[in-house]
Amino acid sequence: WAGTGKNFVSQIVAENLHSKGLKSNFVHLFVSTLHFPHEQQIKLYQDQLQGWIRGNVSACASSVFIFDEMDKLHPGVIDAIKPFLDYYEQVDGVSYRKAIFIFLSNAGGDLITKIALDFWRAGRKREDIQLKDLEPVLSVGVFNNKHSGLWHSGLIDRNLIDYFIPFLPLEYRHVKMCIRAEMRARGSVIDEDIVTRVAEEMTFFPKSEKIYSDKGCKTVQSRLDFH
């Protein structure tokens, strides 16, 4: 779901591969609603995407491409990059084996939350959830979800995605950890009273149990401004 750290982790990956991180000329961020807004222009987007990737990987073999809001991407657009992920040593004399493609999506959020809730209701800890409990469900769920950006995509059909990495919903204690981390980042003294007040302002679900934050830690920064 939103606010669980997907963009944060992609930022960490980028910073560890290129010293300037997201500001590097070799890290490229695509936002679906900004870069590919019109459904009637899918063919144009596919051509532009291929040209963009080809040019940038030619300049830097270890280029990083991050696609955000995949769940808002029109079906078919992403299949344009299939030749670059496929098992070819080279395409037109260029190797894409070192290029990294990261797809960020909320499309599997409901599936992940259902499994997390099942574990909780069975008296099992969140930490007990393993990748094998989620990865098969996610790959099938995203493939069959018309609003995933990967609906019936050749990237999944051809097993070209190496890992499906689930971000679990955040509990009350995790929200408090986010608040403390933000206070440290601001150079503030950690006041547990403020931490609790900000956490109490967040909304949680399911309504009856109130286990998981419905916005993750997404609004922590703005809420802390009022304290």
Side-chain angles (χ1 to χ4, degrees):
W1 278 29
T4 52
K6 299 182 294 297
N7 290 91
F8 184 48
V9 168
S10 61
Q11 179 183 329
I12 293 171
V13 171
E15 287 171 353
N16 280 273
L17 290 168
H18 299 285
S19 58
K20 293 183 179 178
L22 294 176
K23 294 180 180 177
S24 168
N25 291 332
F26 310 122
V27 176
H28 312 281
L29 174 64
F30 298 98
V31 180
S32 297
T33 50
L34 177 64
H35 295 102
F36 316 108
H38 306 296
E39 190 172 5
Q40 62 271 29
Q41 294 185 10
I42 289 176
K43 182 65 172 69
L44 173 64
Y45 297 148
Q46 289 176 326
D47 292 342
Q48 289 176 336
L49 201 47
Q50 286 191 346
W52 182 257
I53 291 170
R54 191 179 289 112
N56 282 285
V57 176
S58 297
C60 174
S62 56
S63 291
V64 178
F65 301 93
I66 302 169
F67 294 84
D68 196 8
E69 297 185 348
M70 278 294 293
D71 44 302
K72 296 179 179 69
L73 184 65
H74 302 299
V77 172
I78 205 62
D79 277 359
I81 73 170
K82 182 176 171 290
F84 309 126
L85 271 69
D86 219 329
Y87 305 102
Y88 304 118
E89 279 303 314
Q90 293 188 340
V91 178
D92 294 333
V94 178
S95 172
Y96 295 86
R97 307 313 298 164
K98 290 184 179 179
I100 294 176
F101 297 83
I102 299 173
F103 310 106
L104 308 180
S105 177
N106 293 341
D110 291 342
L111 295 169
I112 294 169
T113 301
K114 181 183 181 304
I115 290 172
L117 273 171
D118 288 343
F119 268 71
W120 183 82
R121 285 169 177 151
R124 301 174 67 183
K125 293 180 182 177
R126 181 179 183 274
E127 289 75 13
D128 292 336
I129 302 173
Q130 301 293 310
L131 183 60
K132 62 182 173 62
D133 297 316
L134 284 160
E135 198 170 27
V137 178
L138 280 181
S139 60
V140 173
V142 171
F143 183 76
N144 290 317
N145 184 343
K146 286 189 176 183
H147 304 289
S148 71
L150 289 164
W151 180 63
H152 288 185
S153 171
L155 303 189
I156 297 178
D157 204 29
R158 289 270 295 153
N159 297 309
L160 300 180
I161 295 180
D162 296 314
Y163 297 100
F164 285 86
I165 303 174
F167 283 69
L168 302 179
L170 302 183
E171 299 172 358
Y172 179 78
R173 62 192 174 96
H174 299 123
V175 172
K176 293 182 86 169
M177 289 166 69
C178 287
I179 298 165
R180 293 188 194 103
E182 178 61 23
M183 293 175 87
R184 281 191 208 98
R186 296 183 181 194
S188 305
V189 175
I190 294 176
D191 184 328
E192 287 299 327
D193 187 46
I194 292 176
V195 170
T196 300
R197 289 211 305 271
V198 174
E200 292 292 336
E201 289 176 3
M202 307 287 277
T203 50
F204 294 80
F205 71 94
K207 286 185 179 179
S208 52
E209 292 114 330
K210 294 186 177 179
I211 311 165
Y212 302 121
S213 169
D214 61 4
K215 294 184 183 70
C217 284
K218 210 171 186 73
T219 59
V220 162
Q221 287 182 326
S222 57
R223 288 176 186 273
L224 201 52
D225 289 340
F226 293 99
H227 292 272

